[in-house]
Amino acid sequence: SQTIHQWPATLVQPVGSPLSLECTVEGTSNPNLYWYRQAAGRGLQLLFYSIGIDQISSEVPQNLSASRPQDRQFILSSKKLLLSDSGFYLCACRAGAGNTIYFGEGSWLTVV
Amino acid sequence: KNQVEQSPQSLIILEGKNCTLQCNYTVSPFSNLRWYKQDTGRGPVSLTIMTFSENTKSNGRYTATLDADTKQSSLHITASQLSDSASYICVVGPAYGGATNKLIFGTGTLLAVQP
């Protein structure tokens, strides 16, 4: 089965600083990859999804961007963080004919 | 509007007891319904996934039921253990969505199992 690695696990960044969260997937090829944000008391919100290298779709307008430079690598970035970017970010993967979505361990971002 | 509502928001039970979590949805057309377990500060882990034609699915002590007519699902936990303490999230997949898999997430039920 797929294994998803996310890092860093936690980070505290000042407002206006850049961001890079990285996600890599093992155990599959050509997966669909997703970035979600989970705010306290709210359901997961889909931020970006990708069906292949350099193929990124954005679900909501925001201060973040995503890139997929390799088949099993998905990166979430920002040039200048806002306080509202704080939250729990989850990378997820769906591969092959399976319908299960696998999630990484998440990255806690606090913007101060 | 497509929505997924879970109840109760939180629940405390004693170890060894059973409990049932509820999920109501208004997603249409409907394709599948999933239950995830999320430990605090961790990523969600899949428990069950059911298509619209399935009524029940079990995974160990977890049993999910689905009534596509009334748009309701439940997750029953049998003989609860301390490790069951977590947030349980109901997720509905609409029939459209393709590769985006535009899943709609509930806000979860926070379960605390006490000794």
Side-chain angles (χ1 to χ4, degrees):
Chain A
S1 64
Q2 295 86 353
T3 302
I4 302 175
H5 301 284
Q6 254 188 268
W7 70 92
T10 61
L11 66 164
V12 179
Q13 295 284 102
V15 169
S17 64
L19 170 74
S20 180
L21 299 180
E22 190 158 344
C23 170
T24 58
V25 179
E26 293 179 358
T28 187
S29 59
N30 196 30
N32 290 341
L33 297 175
Y34 310 85
W35 276 111
Y36 287 90
R37 177 166 56 204
Q38 187 174 32
R42 302 182 67 176
L44 273 70
Q45 179 187 36
L46 180 62
L47 301 176
F48 299 95
Y49 70 91
S50 170
I51 61 172
I53 294 174
D54 294 331
Q55 299 180 69
I56 310 292
S57 294
S58 173
E59 288 297 296
V60 293
Q62 59 199 301
N63 184 41
L64 303 168
S65 62
S67 61
R68 186 170 176 177
Q70 300 180 47
D71 180 48
R72 289 174 289 176
Q73 183 185 28
F74 204 23
I75 299 171
L76 184 68
S77 304
S78 174
K79 292 182 179 178
K80 290 185 178 182
L81 285 169
L82 306 172
L83 288 174
S84 57
D85 292 325
S86 295
F88 189 49
Y89 289 84
L90 287 158
C91 178
C93 161
R94 183 170 71 111
N99 213 7
T100 301
I101 305 281
Y102 296 92
F103 287 87
E105 287 301 313
S107 297
W108 285 100
L109 170 65
T110 303
V111 182
V112 296
Chain B
K1 180 180 177 182
N2 289 332
Q3 286 187 314
V4 176
E5 308 232 344
Q6 292 186 244
S7 62
Q9 282 191 329
S10 61
L11 180 64
I12 301 173
I13 62 173
L14 293 176
E15 186 178 12
K17 298 296 185 182
N18 303 335
C19 68
T20 300
L21 314 180
Q22 300 290 343
C23 174
N24 297 337
Y25 61 92
T26 59
V27 179
S28 182
F30 163 81
S31 173
N32 57 78
L33 187 143
R34 312 150 189 256
W35 283 94
Y36 280 85
K37 177 187 178 187
Q38 185 176 22
D39 293 321
T40 301
R42 308 287 296 274
V45 175
S46 179
L47 294 176
T48 63
I49 177 169
M50 293 180 289
T51 65
F52 63 89
S53 61
E54 295 178 284
N55 300 119
T56 185
K57 182 155 290 185
S58 292
N59 178 359
R61 294 180 296 101
Y62 301 101
T63 299
T65 63
L66 173 63
D67 186 334
D69 291 330
T70 61
K71 294 184 167 55
Q72 295 179 325
S73 175
S74 64
L75 180 69
H76 187 74
I77 304 175
T78 304
S80 61
Q81 301 175 358
L82 297 178
S83 59
D84 291 331
S85 297
S87 180
Y88 291 84
I89 303 173
C90 176
V91 186
V92 177
Y96 59 86
T100 74
N101 208 7
K102 291 185 186 248
L103 303 177
I104 301 168
F105 289 77
T107 55
T109 291
L110 186 60
L111 173 66
V113 181
Q114 294 184 341

